[in-house]
Amino acid sequence: MAATDPMLDSGADFRTRLQAWLPKIVLAPSFAVMVIFVYGFIAFTLYLSFTDSRMLPSYDLVGWQNYERLFRVRQWDTAIINLGIFAGLYIVISTIIGLLLAIFLDQKIRGEGLLRPIFLYPMALSFIVTGTAWKWILDPAIGLETTMHRWGFENFQFDWIKDSDMAIYTIVIAAVWQSSGFVMAMFLAGLRGIDNEILKAAQMDGASNFQMYRRIILPQLRPAFLSAFVILSHLAIKSYDLVVAMTDGGPGTSTWLPALFMYEYTFTRNQMGIGASSAVIMLMTIAAIMVPYLYAELKEQK
Amino acid sequence: MAVASSDTAIRSSKVTRTFIYLFLLLFALFYLMPLGIMLVNSLKPLSEITAGGMIAMPNEWTIEPWLSAWSTAQIGVEPTGLRPYFINSIAMAVPAVAISTVAGALNGYVLTKWHFRGATWIFGLLLFSCFIPFQIVLIPMARILGLLEIAGTTYGLILVHVVYGIGFSTLYFRNYYAAFPTELVRAAQIDGAGFFQIFWRIMLPSSGPIIAVCCIWQFTNIWNDFLFGASFASGDAAPMTVALNNLVNSSTGERPYNVHFAGAIMAAAPTLLVYIVAGRYFVRGLMAGSVKG
């Protein structure tokens, strides 16, 4: 419903006309910025992904060549497999921990006001800070392993961060630490929104706690599950800082993720065409998740 | 977060409740541990860490690592400590937060109270632009910053953060103003109030909470950013996150872990402070930025 319907009849003077145009004038700079810096840039990168750009952008088209090469490069394979492992574990573990914490916190816990902010504060930190902390904690030379040895557990071994088969799992540990509290907050909000009358009725009918959660509470949390999935997968696909800070992609290239791949190929290895095509794949992956979600959210808001 | 509808608590035995408390406390410990370890180790001499006592309290307390991280540690070529980079981050974050918040407020106001054809489309495009992976804009952005001759400067980073901050700030204000009674705006219009008068006298006075949410969200994101900082402002203009990463990942010889931990806390301090002081708004920002898209 429009708040204004400018009367642009012949009598309207300049001031009135200006007033009528003001909203659009005010919005215009942001609109222009968005069109150029977001959609224009996306188009530009898309174009570059079909060119033979190396150190500098080139405008000579080479068709699908970059994409074909991209999928033959071993590091891209590594990055995609790592993303699968990382995103899968990260989403599942964060969701389980977040859900359990929310359910437990919701049991009229004394000190909830103290616990909740403790669970959530990692979200306020930079991934670089988080990565630095976990890098040294998991470093066998000074961190957890050495400490356990000092405490008398001589056989304790935890050197995943130095092991190219296991290093990606240490990234999962740090990422789960960072985000599970946030998932908890989303589920807690969902739980607090559930109507207690239904639960009381179910209780009167003699439903067990387990039944209540399985049949009544969890189904009602579906929107929270969906949001958690969308946000976490979005975070996982974009993950860059955490890997840089913790392992810098190593040992070797064993912890490369697509975001790291894109950066390395574009700015370090002078393969801009391939870098651009990897960025396009990243965008498509995120769009496949975000577009339907945002569309549904928008429709709901109307 | 929804307010005080009573908990969905279940009947539970003493044993169950003990288990629940144990579980929660264990996780509280898990979340606090890294911060605790950083703090403890930033206050002990290096020899105590390398001797394998990362979790133990310091035998000898020292603030030497903090002084070193702040003003003498080797970052890049110069032994300047993190101080200049901390200043860079402030010089970058403050204007970027201010500009993107003002733009977001105006945009939100236009999009909700001055409907025109295509407004929904614009909003949809803005919404999606919040969630693109920034890798897709890195190459052209580098070109543009080069053309504008602000590559590698704080001004360049301010521009980048304003540009990619407007989407979220607009979302926040748009969702907030959507619930604001349009009748008030219309009444003011009939009384002859203009576009900016309405914004200034009617919208802004009731926008306190959303301004707080927006500023906190933008500040946290901009302060914590690494990708843009590393791509567009290396060297002297680097923000705090990039400097910290250089400090930690490029030191040669014996690694001064205690200095690294002190530096990490410094990089975390501003957003942590915001979280402690205004946690309520921080959480609201997180939730609005996710659940409501």
Side-chain angles (χ1 to χ4, degrees):
Chain A
M1 41 182 184
T4 172
D5 233 336
M7 292 172 293
L8 281 175
D9 46 22
S10 51
D13 60 5
F14 175 72
R15 263 184 67 94
T16 326
R17 262 181 226 232
L18 183 68
Q19 282 291 336
W21 276 96
L22 258 182
K24 285 177 191 171
I25 296 172
V26 166
L27 192 64
S30 298
F31 180 70
V33 157
M34 178 189 71
V35 168
I36 297 168
F37 285 84
V38 177
Y39 295 97
F41 280 13
I42 289 176
F44 188 81
T45 305
L46 186 65
Y47 182 83
L48 283 184
S49 74
F50 292 106
T51 66
D52 59 356
S53 304
R54 297 180 73 85
M55 198 170 114
L56 293 168
S58 138
Y59 300 96
D60 300 327
L61 290 170
V62 291
W64 292 92
Q65 202 179 302
N66 286 322
Y67 291 89
E68 280 161 17
R69 282 175 59 201
L70 176 68
F71 281 98
R72 279 205 307 266
V73 190
R74 227 190 44 236
Q75 289 93 331
W76 180 251
D77 265 2
T78 314
I80 291 291
I81 293 171
N82 277 343
L83 180 64
I85 297 174
F86 171 70
L89 288 173
Y90 169 61
I91 293 171
V92 170
I93 299 175
S94 296
T95 306
I96 292 175
I97 292 178
L99 181 64
L100 282 178
L101 288 176
I103 289 179
F104 287 175
L105 259 190
D106 201 36
Q107 308 302 319
K108 296 194 165 67
I109 289 299
R110 230 177 295 159
E112 188 200 321
L114 193 70
L115 287 169
R116 221 177 30 208
I118 292 178
F119 296 159
L120 198 60
Y121 89 91
M123 206 65 191
L125 302 184
S126 155
F127 278 114
I128 296 294
V129 171
T130 304
T132 303
W134 282 99
K135 176 196 184 83
W136 296 141
I137 291 171
L138 297 178
D139 189 321
I142 62 159
L144 196 61
E145 189 175 301
T146 313
T147 306
M148 293 304 257
H149 290 177
R150 248 171 66 113
W151 285 355
F153 301 94
E154 295 294 339
N155 295 323
F156 183 86
Q157 223 195 343
F158 195 77
D159 57 356
W160 285 8
I161 201 164
K162 301 275 182 212
D163 178 345
S164 50
D165 291 329
M166 304 305 282
I168 188 73
Y169 298 99
T170 61
I171 312 271
V172 176
I173 296 175
V176 165
W177 178 82
Q178 179 109 0
S179 325
S180 45
F182 169 55
V183 180
M184 179 270 311
M186 293 200 336
F187 280 123
L188 201 55
L191 283 172
R192 297 280 150 91
I194 289 178
D195 184 5
N196 276 353
E197 297 303 311
I198 308 171
L199 295 179
K200 280 195 195 118
Q203 235 165 20
M204 301 259 255
D205 289 347
S208 72
N209 291 336
F210 180 74
Q211 279 176 326
M212 293 225 302
Y213 269 98
R214 226 197 60 155
R215 298 272 172 81
I216 305 174
I217 298 179
L218 289 187
Q220 290 204 48
L221 287 178
R222 194 164 11 173
F225 274 107
L226 186 64
S227 303
F229 172 77
V230 170
I231 303 299
L232 291 173
S233 52
H234 174 243
L235 281 173
I237 296 168
K238 294 207 307 190
S239 277
Y240 174 71
D241 331 19
L242 190 60
V243 183
V244 171
M246 272 184 82
T247 63
D248 203 12
T253 58
S254 61
T255 47
W256 274 33
L257 287 175
L260 198 78
F261 178 98
M262 187 274 165
Y263 195 93
E264 284 287 319
Y265 266 72
T266 308
F267 297 113
T268 315
R269 304 197 175 191
N270 298 330
Q271 299 274 359
M272 194 176 277
I274 295 184
S277 60
S278 70
V280 170
I281 304 271
M282 287 181 66
L283 177 74
M284 308 279 257
T285 319
I286 285 188
I289 298 169
M290 293 309 294
V291 169
Y293 176 73
L294 294 178
Y295 183 74
E297 286 268 329
L298 261 182
K299 260 177 89 174
E300 218 171 273
Q301 273 187 14
K302 277 188 183 166
Chain B
M1 211 173 289
V3 226
S5 84
S6 63
D7 309 82
T8 30
I10 49 174
R11 298 153 296 174
S12 49
S13 65
K14 257 221 159 82
V15 183
T16 327
R17 287 195 75 76
T18 316
F19 169 76
I20 289 175
Y21 272 102
L22 264 176
F23 184 91
L24 290 174
L25 285 177
L26 212 71
F27 267 90
L29 227 77
F30 170 63
Y31 288 114
L32 284 175
M33 180 190 64
L35 191 64
I37 286 180
M38 283 197 280
L39 200 62
V40 164
N41 288 287
S42 70
L43 293 168
K44 58 170 88 145
L46 186 56
S47 55
E48 283 187 38
I49 302 179
T50 42
M54 195 185 251
I55 299 195
M57 279 306 201
N59 289 322
E60 185 195 329
W61 296 79
T62 168
I63 56 160
E64 201 51 48
W66 281 77
L67 298 177
S68 166
W70 182 245
S71 55
T72 62
Q74 183 98 14
I75 291 160
V77 210
E78 301 283 331
T80 57
L82 289 165
R83 182 175 45 191
Y85 305 99
F86 193 88
I87 295 169
N88 285 347
S89 270
I90 290 180
M92 160 188 86
V94 172
V97 169
I99 298 171
S100 61
T101 303
V102 170
L106 285 168
N107 293 344
Y109 167 53
V110 171
L111 285 173
T112 51
K113 301 300 171 222
W114 301 84
H115 275 279
F116 51 86
R117 261 158 45 113
T120 316
W121 264 100
I122 294 182
F123 180 60
L125 287 173
L126 265 175
L127 194 58
F128 178 67
S129 80
C130 293
F131 296 100
I132 57 166
F134 288 131
Q135 281 74 18
I136 197 80
V137 298
L138 282 187
I139 302 171
M141 195 73 206
R143 298 287 290 170
I144 296 278
L145 290 177
L147 288 175
L148 296 174
E149 295 185 346
I150 48 174
T153 69
T154 303
Y155 297 109
L157 276 192
I158 294 174
L159 175 73
V160 173
H161 285 302
V162 167
V163 163
Y164 298 108
I166 283 180
F168 263 117
S169 63
T170 302
L171 278 190
Y172 283 149
F173 283 98
R174 186 240 173 227
N175 287 345
Y176 187 78
Y177 288 153
F180 187 91
T182 306
E183 294 76 29
L184 277 181
V185 176
R186 267 202 218 147
Q189 246 193 320
I190 291 168
D191 290 344
F195 177 84
F196 283 112
Q197 265 181 312
I198 295 175
F199 179 67
W200 194 252
R201 300 261 187 85
I202 299 179
M203 307 303 283
L204 268 192
S206 64
S207 306
I210 197 65
I211 293 175
V213 166
C214 183
C215 285
I216 288 172
W217 170 271
Q218 298 287 9
F219 179 76
T220 309
N221 272 353
I222 295 171
W223 185 275
N224 287 343
D225 161 72
F226 177 77
L227 182 64
F228 288 142
S231 311
F232 305 135
S234 46
D236 287 347
M240 191 67 176
T241 46
V242 176
L244 174 65
N245 189 53
N246 288 345
L247 171 71
V248 174
N249 282 329
S250 65
S251 55
T252 47
E254 198 180 25
R255 290 175 189 282
Y257 302 107
N258 48 1
V259 176
H260 296 177
F261 286 126
I265 297 177
M266 283 173 197
T271 50
L272 213 50
L273 190 74
V274 164
Y275 178 66
I276 292 167
V277 173
R280 204 155 48 96
Y281 295 109
F282 176 84
V283 178
R284 235 187 274 171
L286 271 185
M287 306 298 280
S290 57
V291 185
K292 284 267 159 100

